[in-house]
Amino acid sequence: MMNIDVLSIFPEMFEGVFGHSILKKAAEKGAAGYNVVNFRDFANNKHQTVDDYPYGGGAGMVLKPQPIFDAVSDLKERAKSTSPRVILMCPQGERYTQKKAEELAREEHLIFICGHYEGYDERIREHVITDEISIGDYVLTGGELGAMVVIDSVVRLLPGVLGSEESHIQDSFSTGLLEHPHYTRPADFRGMKVPDVLVSGNHKLIDEWRMKESLRRTLQRRPDLLEEAELTEKQKKWLDELIKLNE
């Protein structure tokens, strides 16, 4: 089972997320366990303050090191885990990708630190965390929403969580490409028909159609992904044909 701890001064934000959908099912199946800790409880001052003014002046407040250092140490001791991945949700972190999700899904213990205010004391970065992650080039009020995104994307990759093991393998980005279009019944909806190949019963042609459409969609919407995608010779040939059609 993967143990997931979250440090946040707003732990109630996670109640709905962990109590529904895939994350709830993962907990019920014993694939993942969640623990949200208010790191304000670890503050060693009478008013339980976790932030202070930055040295050198400037706008905003900075999270103090002591509550987070002590909270992480406590979580490690309780879990008897000496090497968890300690993840700082931060706009300065590496941009989150499916590859990173797959990497984290191989871990046994993840600790997420969700900050607020202007930022973190730099000693937290230097001595506590193992990863800094950003879910995009924009700024959120706090790290909670970003942590929810990362946790959801990781937990769904754990063995036995999804109904079909092929589901996440075929997802967009898992193959380095965007996913092909999907259709369901009826085959003819208000004159809009499902492509003939999908109702042909010929699975070889269906697989080829899906791959070509995946390439087409990636070329149209995220051509940057093609620069690092590992394509077979057949896929490269199909891609060249698509590029020529678009010229």
Side-chain angles (χ1 to χ4, degrees):
M1 180 178 76
M2 174 182 281
N3 292 315
I4 298 175
D5 292 308
V6 181
L7 297 181
S8 169
I9 57 174
F10 298 106
E12 62 278 2
M13 289 181 66
F14 290 85
E15 293 175 2
V17 175
F18 290 157
H20 292 85
S21 190
I22 294 297
L23 294 183
K24 179 182 179 181
K25 291 179 181 178
E28 292 173 344
K29 291 180 178 181
Y34 315 114
N35 175 41
V36 187
V37 175
N38 189 335
F39 60 86
R40 192 183 296 279
D41 295 338
F42 288 85
N44 61 1
N45 58 81
K46 182 174 68 174
H47 300 291
Q48 292 188 304
T49 55
V50 295
D51 62 311
D52 209 335
Y53 295 104
Y55 278 117
M61 304 290 280
V62 176
L63 284 175
K64 299 168 65 175
Q66 177 272 317
I68 291 178
F69 268 71
D70 288 353
V72 170
S73 295
D74 182 73
L75 290 173
K76 288 182 179 180
E77 185 176 342
R78 289 174 181 271
K80 297 181 180 179
S81 175
T82 57
S83 56
R85 296 287 284 271
V86 183
I87 301 162
L88 192 71
M89 301 307 303
C90 173
Q92 297 179 26
E94 65 174 293
R95 182 180 286 188
Y96 193 56
T97 63
Q98 185 66 22
K99 183 178 180 180
K100 187 71 172 183
E102 293 168 358
E103 176 189 327
L104 295 177
R106 294 191 289 268
E107 299 291 331
E108 294 183 357
H109 186 193
L110 303 178
I111 299 175
F112 290 85
I113 302 176
C114 306
H116 276 260
Y117 312 114
E118 184 64 24
Y120 306 91
D121 185 290
E122 190 65 18
R123 288 164 289 190
I124 296 171
R125 285 192 170 92
E126 294 174 346
H127 300 287
V128 176
I129 68 163
T130 60
D131 302 82
E132 290 186 57
I133 290 178
S134 167
I135 62 169
D137 294 340
Y138 47 87
V139 179
L140 297 172
T141 303
E144 284 78 10
L145 294 176
M148 293 174 193
V149 168
V150 175
I151 292 169
D152 182 276
S153 66
V154 168
V155 169
R156 67 191 306 277
L157 298 177
L158 300 180
V161 171
L162 296 180
S164 169
E165 289 301 313
E166 294 184 359
S167 295
H168 68 76
I169 296 174
Q170 296 177 355
D171 284 343
S172 289
F173 305 110
S174 291
T175 61
L177 303 173
L178 299 184
E179 197 173 7
H180 57 77
H182 292 278
Y183 295 88
T184 188
R185 291 178 287 185
D188 186 336
F189 175 66
R190 299 178 182 176
M192 296 174 281
K193 297 182 179 181
V194 171
D196 292 338
V197 64
L198 295 180
V199 295
S200 68
N202 189 322
H203 292 288
K204 181 181 179 180
L205 290 180
I206 291 172
D207 288 342
E208 289 186 356
W209 179 89
R210 285 175 170 168
M211 178 49 64
K212 288 179 180 178
E213 288 302 308
S214 179
L215 288 166
R216 185 196 310 278
R217 181 159 287 187
T218 305
L219 179 62
Q220 292 175 342
R221 303 184 182 188
R222 290 293 304 276
D224 56 295
L225 295 176
L226 295 169
E227 296 176 7
E228 298 184 5
E230 297 181 3
L231 303 179
T232 66
E233 290 304 315
K234 182 178 287 188
Q235 290 170 338
K236 291 177 182 178
K237 180 181 178 181
W238 289 338
L239 180 59
D240 288 339
E241 293 173 355
L242 288 170
I243 292 173
K244 289 178 180 178
L245 286 174
N246 290 335
E247 288 179 349

